[in-house]
mmCIF file with all atom_site columns, all heavy atoms in Angstrom:
data_model
loop_
_atom_site.group_PDB
_atom_site.id
_atom_site.type_symbol
_atom_site.label_atom_id
_atom_site.label_alt_id
_atom_site.label_comp_id
_atom_site.label_asym_id
_atom_site.label_entity_id
_atom_site.label_seq_id
_atom_site.pdbx_PDB_ins_code
_atom_site.Cartn_x
_atom_site.Cartn_y
_atom_site.Cartn_z
_atom_site.occupancy
_atom_site.B_iso_or_equiv
_atom_site.pdbx_formal_charge
_atom_site.auth_seq_id
_atom_site.auth_comp_id
_atom_site.auth_asym_id
_atom_site.auth_atom_id
_atom_site.pdbx_PDB_model_num
ATOM 1   N N   . ILE J 1 222 ? -26.513 -1.798 0.505   1.00 0.00 ? 875 ILE J N   1
ATOM 2   C CA  . ILE J 1 222 ? -27.055 -0.515 0.039   1.00 0.00 ? 875 ILE J CA  1
ATOM 3   C C   . ILE J 1 222 ? -25.953 0.434  -0.434  1.00 0.00 ? 875 ILE J C   1
ATOM 4   O O   . ILE J 1 222 ? -26.141 1.205  -1.363  1.00 0.00 ? 875 ILE J O   1
ATOM 5   C CB  . ILE J 1 222 ? -27.908 0.148  1.150   1.00 0.00 ? 875 ILE J CB  1
ATOM 6   C CG1 . ILE J 1 222 ? -28.628 1.382  0.567   1.00 0.00 ? 875 ILE J CG1 1
ATOM 7   C CG2 . ILE J 1 222 ? -27.054 0.505  2.365   1.00 0.00 ? 875 ILE J CG2 1
ATOM 8   C CD1 . ILE J 1 222 ? -29.669 1.959  1.501   1.00 0.00 ? 875 ILE J CD1 1
ATOM 9   N N   . HIS J 1 223 ? -24.748 0.346  0.219   1.00 0.00 ? 876 HIS J N   1
ATOM 10  C CA  . HIS J 1 223 ? -23.687 1.256  -0.212  1.00 0.00 ? 876 HIS J CA  1
ATOM 11  C C   . HIS J 1 223 ? -23.219 0.954  -1.635  1.00 0.00 ? 876 HIS J C   1
ATOM 12  O O   . HIS J 1 223 ? -22.720 1.837  -2.316  1.00 0.00 ? 876 HIS J O   1
ATOM 13  C CB  . HIS J 1 223 ? -22.507 1.246  0.770   1.00 0.00 ? 876 HIS J CB  1
ATOM 14  C CG  . HIS J 1 223 ? -21.845 -0.085 0.933   1.00 0.00 ? 876 HIS J CG  1
ATOM 15  N ND1 . HIS J 1 223 ? -22.076 -0.920 2.009   1.00 0.00 ? 876 HIS J ND1 1
ATOM 16  C CD2 . HIS J 1 223 ? -20.936 -0.733 0.155   1.00 0.00 ? 876 HIS J CD2 1
ATOM 17  C CE1 . HIS J 1 223 ? -21.336 -2.006 1.902   1.00 0.00 ? 876 HIS J CE1 1
ATOM 18  N NE2 . HIS J 1 223 ? -20.638 -1.915 0.783   1.00 0.00 ? 876 HIS J NE2 1
ATOM 19  N N   . CYS J 1 224 ? -23.409 -0.288 -2.099  1.00 0.00 ? 877 CYS J N   1
ATOM 20  C CA  . CYS J 1 224 ? -23.056 -0.620 -3.489  1.00 0.00 ? 877 CYS J CA  1
ATOM 21  C C   . CYS J 1 224 ? -24.023 0.060  -4.459  1.00 0.00 ? 877 CYS J C   1
ATOM 22  O O   . CYS J 1 224 ? -23.610 0.610  -5.485  1.00 0.00 ? 877 CYS J O   1
ATOM 23  C CB  . CYS J 1 224 ? -23.087 -2.130 -3.686  1.00 0.00 ? 877 CYS J CB  1
ATOM 24  S SG  . CYS J 1 224 ? -21.830 -3.022 -2.758  1.00 0.00 ? 877 CYS J SG  1
ATOM 25  N N   . ASN J 1 225 ? -25.314 0.016  -4.132  1.00 0.00 ? 878 ASN J N   1
ATOM 26  C CA  . ASN J 1 225 ? -26.316 0.681  -4.969  1.00 0.00 ? 878 ASN J CA  1
ATOM 27  C C   . ASN J 1 225 ? -26.102 2.194  -4.995  1.00 0.00 ? 878 ASN J C   1
ATOM 28  O O   . ASN J 1 225 ? -26.186 2.833  -6.051  1.00 0.00 ? 878 ASN J O   1
ATOM 29  C CB  . ASN J 1 225 ? -27.726 0.370  -4.460  1.00 0.00 ? 878 ASN J CB  1
ATOM 30  C CG  . ASN J 1 225 ? -28.144 -1.059 -4.742  1.00 0.00 ? 878 ASN J CG  1
ATOM 31  O OD1 . ASN J 1 225 ? -27.950 -1.572 -5.841  1.00 0.00 ? 878 ASN J OD1 1
ATOM 32  N ND2 . ASN J 1 225 ? -28.717 -1.724 -3.751  1.00 0.00 ? 878 ASN J ND2 1
ATOM 33  N N   . VAL J 1 226 ? -25.814 2.765  -3.829  1.00 0.00 ? 879 VAL J N   1
ATOM 34  C CA  . VAL J 1 226 ? -25.597 4.210  -3.751  1.00 0.00 ? 879 VAL J CA  1
ATOM 35  C C   . VAL J 1 226 ? -24.362 4.607  -4.553  1.00 0.00 ? 879 VAL J C   1
ATOM 36  O O   . VAL J 1 226 ? -24.376 5.591  -5.304  1.00 0.00 ? 879 VAL J O   1
ATOM 37  C CB  . VAL J 1 226 ? -25.457 4.661  -2.278  1.00 0.00 ? 879 VAL J CB  1
ATOM 38  C CG1 . VAL J 1 226 ? -25.017 6.120  -2.200  1.00 0.00 ? 879 VAL J CG1 1
ATOM 39  C CG2 . VAL J 1 226 ? -26.772 4.460  -1.542  1.00 0.00 ? 879 VAL J CG2 1
ATOM 40  N N   . ALA J 1 227 ? -23.286 3.823  -4.395  1.00 0.00 ? 880 ALA J N   1
ATOM 41  C CA  . ALA J 1 227 ? -22.053 4.124  -5.129  1.00 0.00 ? 880 ALA J CA  1
ATOM 42  C C   . ALA J 1 227 ? -22.273 4.026  -6.637  1.00 0.00 ? 880 ALA J C   1
ATOM 43  O O   . ALA J 1 227 ? -21.833 4.900  -7.403  1.00 0.00 ? 880 ALA J O   1
ATOM 44  C CB  . ALA J 1 227 ? -20.941 3.172  -4.689  1.00 0.00 ? 880 ALA J CB  1
ATOM 45  N N   . ASN J 1 228 ? -22.966 2.975  -7.078  1.00 0.00 ? 881 ASN J N   1
ATOM 46  C CA  . ASN J 1 228 ? -23.219 2.818  -8.513  1.00 0.00 ? 881 ASN J CA  1
ATOM 47  C C   . ASN J 1 228 ? -24.097 3.940  -9.061  1.00 0.00 ? 881 ASN J C   1
ATOM 48  O O   . ASN J 1 228 ? -23.840 4.471  -10.148 1.00 0.00 ? 881 ASN J O   1
ATOM 49  C CB  . ASN J 1 228 ? -23.881 1.462  -8.773  1.00 0.00 ? 881 ASN J CB  1
ATOM 50  C CG  . ASN J 1 228 ? -22.913 0.307  -8.636  1.00 0.00 ? 881 ASN J CG  1
ATOM 51  O OD1 . ASN J 1 228 ? -21.714 0.469  -8.852  1.00 0.00 ? 881 ASN J OD1 1
ATOM 52  N ND2 . ASN J 1 228 ? -23.415 -0.860 -8.267  1.00 0.00 ? 881 ASN J ND2 1
ATOM 53  N N   . ALA J 1 229 ? -25.133 4.303  -8.308  1.00 0.00 ? 882 ALA J N   1
ATOM 54  C CA  . ALA J 1 229 ? -26.013 5.385  -8.746  1.00 0.00 ? 882 ALA J CA  1
ATOM 55  C C   . ALA J 1 229 ? -25.255 6.707  -8.827  1.00 0.00 ? 882 ALA J C   1
ATOM 56  O O   . ALA J 1 229 ? -25.440 7.497  -9.764  1.00 0.00 ? 882 ALA J O   1
ATOM 57  C CB  . ALA J 1 229 ? -27.202 5.516  -7.789  1.00 0.00 ? 882 ALA J CB  1
ATOM 58  N N   . SER J 1 230 ? -24.390 6.940  -7.849  1.00 0.00 ? 883 SER J N   1
ATOM 59  C CA  . SER J 1 230 ? -23.609 8.187  -7.828  1.00 0.00 ? 883 SER J CA  1
ATOM 60  C C   . SER J 1 230 ? -22.591 8.231  -8.958  1.00 0.00 ? 883 SER J C   1
ATOM 61  O O   . SER J 1 230 ? -22.234 9.305  -9.436  1.00 0.00 ? 883 SER J O   1
ATOM 62  C CB  . SER J 1 230 ? -22.893 8.331  -6.482  1.00 0.00 ? 883 SER J CB  1
ATOM 63  O OG  . SER J 1 230 ? -23.822 8.352  -5.420  1.00 0.00 ? 883 SER J OG  1
ATOM 64  N N   . LEU J 1 231 ? -22.130 7.061  -9.376  1.00 0.00 ? 884 LEU J N   1
ATOM 65  C CA  . LEU J 1 231 ? -21.163 7.006  -10.473 1.00 0.00 ? 884 LEU J CA  1
ATOM 66  C C   . LEU J 1 231 ? -21.823 7.148  -11.835 1.00 0.00 ? 884 LEU J C   1
ATOM 67  O O   . LEU J 1 231 ? -21.315 7.843  -12.720 1.00 0.00 ? 884 LEU J O   1
ATOM 68  C CB  . LEU J 1 231 ? -20.380 5.691  -10.417 1.00 0.00 ? 884 LEU J CB  1
ATOM 69  C CG  . LEU J 1 231 ? -19.249 5.604  -9.399  1.00 0.00 ? 884 LEU J CG  1
ATOM 70  C CD1 . LEU J 1 231 ? -18.683 4.192  -9.372  1.00 0.00 ? 884 LEU J CD1 1
ATOM 71  C CD2 . LEU J 1 231 ? -18.142 6.598  -9.738  1.00 0.00 ? 884 LEU J CD2 1
ATOM 72  N N   . ILE J 1 232 ? -22.958 6.496  -12.019 1.00 0.00 ? 885 ILE J N   1
ATOM 73  C CA  . ILE J 1 232 ? -23.567 6.505  -13.350 1.00 0.00 ? 885 ILE J CA  1
ATOM 74  C C   . ILE J 1 232 ? -24.260 7.832  -13.654 1.00 0.00 ? 885 ILE J C   1
ATOM 75  O O   . ILE J 1 232 ? -24.362 8.232  -14.824 1.00 0.00 ? 885 ILE J O   1
ATOM 76  C CB  . ILE J 1 232 ? -24.563 5.333  -13.529 1.00 0.00 ? 885 ILE J CB  1
ATOM 77  C CG1 . ILE J 1 232 ? -24.853 5.136  -15.025 1.00 0.00 ? 885 ILE J CG1 1
ATOM 78  C CG2 . ILE J 1 232 ? -25.838 5.572  -12.735 1.00 0.00 ? 885 ILE J CG2 1
ATOM 79  C CD1 . ILE J 1 232 ? -25.679 3.896  -15.323 1.00 0.00 ? 885 ILE J CD1 1
ATOM 80  N N   . ALA J 1 233 ? -24.689 8.557  -12.618 1.00 0.00 ? 886 ALA J N   1
ATOM 81  C CA  . ALA J 1 233 ? -25.405 9.825  -12.849 1.00 0.00 ? 886 ALA J CA  1
ATOM 82  C C   . ALA J 1 233 ? -24.577 10.822 -13.660 1.00 0.00 ? 886 ALA J C   1
ATOM 83  O O   . ALA J 1 233 ? -25.039 11.320 -14.699 1.00 0.00 ? 886 ALA J O   1
ATOM 84  C CB  . ALA J 1 233 ? -25.850 10.428 -11.520 1.00 0.00 ? 886 ALA J CB  1
ATOM 85  N N   . PRO J 1 234 ? -23.332 11.133 -13.245 1.00 0.00 ? 887 PRO J N   1
ATOM 86  C CA  . PRO J 1 234 ? -22.545 12.060 -14.076 1.00 0.00 ? 887 PRO J CA  1
ATOM 87  C C   . PRO J 1 234 ? -22.168 11.477 -15.432 1.00 0.00 ? 887 PRO J C   1
ATOM 88  O O   . PRO J 1 234 ? -22.023 12.221 -16.409 1.00 0.00 ? 887 PRO J O   1
ATOM 89  C CB  . PRO J 1 234 ? -21.301 12.341 -13.224 1.00 0.00 ? 887 PRO J CB  1
ATOM 90  C CG  . PRO J 1 234 ? -21.195 11.194 -12.283 1.00 0.00 ? 887 PRO J CG  1
ATOM 91  C CD  . PRO J 1 234 ? -22.612 10.771 -12.019 1.00 0.00 ? 887 PRO J CD  1
ATOM 92  N N   . GLN J 1 235 ? -22.046 10.139 -15.500 1.00 0.00 ? 888 GLN J N   1
ATOM 93  C CA  . GLN J 1 235 ? -21.721 9.524  -16.787 1.00 0.00 ? 888 GLN J CA  1
ATOM 94  C C   . GLN J 1 235 ? -22.848 9.752  -17.793 1.00 0.00 ? 888 GLN J C   1
ATOM 95  O O   . GLN J 1 235 ? -22.591 10.003 -18.976 1.00 0.00 ? 888 GLN J O   1
ATOM 96  C CB  . GLN J 1 235 ? -21.472 8.023  -16.634 1.00 0.00 ? 888 GLN J CB  1
ATOM 97  C CG  . GLN J 1 235 ? -20.502 7.627  -15.540 1.00 0.00 ? 888 GLN J CG  1
ATOM 98  C CD  . GLN J 1 235 ? -19.151 8.293  -15.648 1.00 0.00 ? 888 GLN J CD  1
ATOM 99  O OE1 . GLN J 1 235 ? -18.682 8.594  -16.736 1.00 0.00 ? 888 GLN J OE1 1
ATOM 100 N NE2 . GLN J 1 235 ? -18.519 8.528  -14.501 1.00 0.00 ? 888 GLN J NE2 1
#
Side-chain angles (χ1 to χ4, degrees):
I875 188 170
H876 61 259
C877 294
N878 288 315
V879 171
N881 286 332
S883 301
L884 281 174
I885 197 173
Q888 310 305 329

